[in-house]
Amino acid sequence: MSAPPPTTRRGRRFGWPQRVFSQVLLMQLAIATGVTVLATGLFLAPLSAQLDDQAMRRALAIAQSTAAEPHLTESLLTTAPSPTGPVQSAAERVRRATGAEYVVVMDRRGVRWSHPDADEIGRVVSTDPSDALAGRNVMEIDSGTLGRSARGKVPLRDEAQHIVGAVSVGIAYDSVRARLLAAIPGLFAYAGGALAVGALAAYLISRRLQRQTHDLAFSDISALLTEREAMLHSIREGVVALDRTGRIRLLNDEAQRLLGLGPDAAGRPLDTVLGAGRTADVLAGRVLGDDLLTVQGTRVLLANRMPTDDGGAVATLRDRTELEHLGRELDSTRGLIDALRAQDHEHANRMHTLLGLLELDMHEDAMEYVTEIVGVQRSTAEQVTEKVHDPLLAALLVGKAAVAAERGVALRMAPGTLLPDRLVDPRGLVTVVGNLVDNALDASAGADGALVEVGLRAEGRTVVLRVRDSGPGVPAGQRESIFTEGWSTKEIPAHGKRGLGLALVRRLAERQGGGVTVDGAADGGAEFTVVLPEALAAPELTEPETTESETAGTWASGTGPDMTESNTGIAGEAQ
């Protein structure tokens, strides 16, 4: 059996780290190190020049002090240059006392009268003394017989202030360099301490960044941002992100569509963009709960809000407009089914009655019975179509009258009702009338003498709608809250939500510049009044316009002959 092939171990590849924490830490350490090195270099450069200047000024001061000696000039003028002469003795005394490298006294010819090396006494100096002999102070760094030194030269004057020579003092340059080198360790210690503090701060900041970024790599963050943008703008739910101050941080395409906003809404306060209302209250968290209903424009929205760790929040919006319409249609269909079931029983009873009359050969009575039944149904339709000329609205009222009859409620048109066929938005008025009539039927049904009265009239281009019922009415303290989305006292239907009917009525009225109010009827019950300006198209010149005086009638007074009994139920309750 052959031996297995040898395995090769690949060396670990070192490269630029991928984690945000590591990259930020390395960058901060590199920056801190670079700044420390730069600061140290910038400090050392002027330090060397400063030490040179201090040495030259010290040499100049020693030279000036030596030249001020009162007997030095006299000794220079009265004695010869000698290693044992008074000038040499005075210069050496000053040199030893000050620590200078040399103190040289020269005459006007540049001949030395003093020098640390006695053999140099009597010789001409190695550097040009002309500036000092000309009366100028000199500071320089130069090389001479004793090597490189920081020098100071001053003129030497007699009592008459005549220049008789010069004094040159030198300080060894090695001592200046030694001071510079001695300062470097301390400077490096300070720089190292600053670098350590900077490295620690960089580490702490990087650790905080690591926790905030969940130790992700930059590539992961970029991918997450790309995926988030794609996801937010592709999902069919509206997403609104808010910061802790209530400003909009993010708004996806669906949220813009549902709220009727543009991309410029991002970065602006929520209350400024949406204005006062339930939608702004729900998104801002001023109304708490799950699956909160709100109406924005003509849309019914379901909102949920989740706070975030930074004090902001993320709200999601779902469009329930079509679902609510289907739910209301389902409720209406169930009501119609119940009405048809009752009507089927009534029809069977009528057929049995008619069969009995025919079997008893009471043909004339049978004819009168059939005529009476057909006449009642026909009169109801004729009463509606004579006063309401719009076909959609008339059909709605005829259907509601049939449903009301099956529920034991009398639905009638108020005196003075007259609405021409010039509606700008027939479907909108159908929604308003349908909601109010349904609520009135719910409030009045189940009691003797139950009655719902509908009045429609035109005042110029304004439509005024009044719906009265014989129910118990709306308490004064609830006459404003009943128009709030989600408010209801009815049992929750199969589609799961109520409290939208009256909110939609108010929203449709406000869209046309009008409004809706509720008051108590004179004989009990509730009376809803809806004013819709500009609801009618401009009349043609050949058509006489109905005036308010012609259609006011008796219904404007808010009373009726049959509105006398109070019944159980909650009037004006939202669907």
Side-chain angles (χ1 to χ4, degrees), residues 168 193 217 249 251 321 333 344 348 427 433 482 513 546:
S168 176
R249 289 192 297 195
L251 197 71
T321 306
T333 302
D344 180 63
R427 296 183 182 274
V433 174
I482 62 174
T546 305

Side-chain angles (χ1 to χ4, degrees), residues 325-343:
H325 288 168
L326 291 175
R328 293 180 60 81
E329 290 180 5
L330 178 60
D331 290 342
S332 300
T333 302
R334 288 182 175 178
L336 287 175
I337 291 175
D338 293 338
L340 289 174
R341 185 179 298 112
Q343 191 173 13

Side-chain angles (χ1 to χ4, degrees), residues 35-48:
V35 170
T36 302
V37 172
L38 179 62
T40 303
L42 293 177
F43 182 79
L44 285 176
L47 178 62
S48 177

Side-chain angles (χ1 to χ4, degrees), residues 44 47 51 174-186:
L44 285 176
L47 178 62
L51 292 176
D174 291 340
S175 64
V176 178
R177 184 178 299 170
R179 290 182 59 192
L180 177 62
L181 294 176
I184 290 178

Side-chain angles (χ1 to χ4, degrees), residues 8 12 59 104 150 157 236 393 478 530:
T8 59
R12 185 178 178 181
V104 174
R157 302 176 185 271
R236 302 310 300 167
L393 192 57
Q478 297 181 352
V530 181

Side-chain angles (χ1 to χ4, degrees), residues 372-385:
E372 180 183 356
I373 294 175
V374 174
V376 171
Q377 295 178 349
R378 182 177 298 173
S379 62
T380 301
E382 291 177 351
Q383 179 187 10
V384 173
T385 55

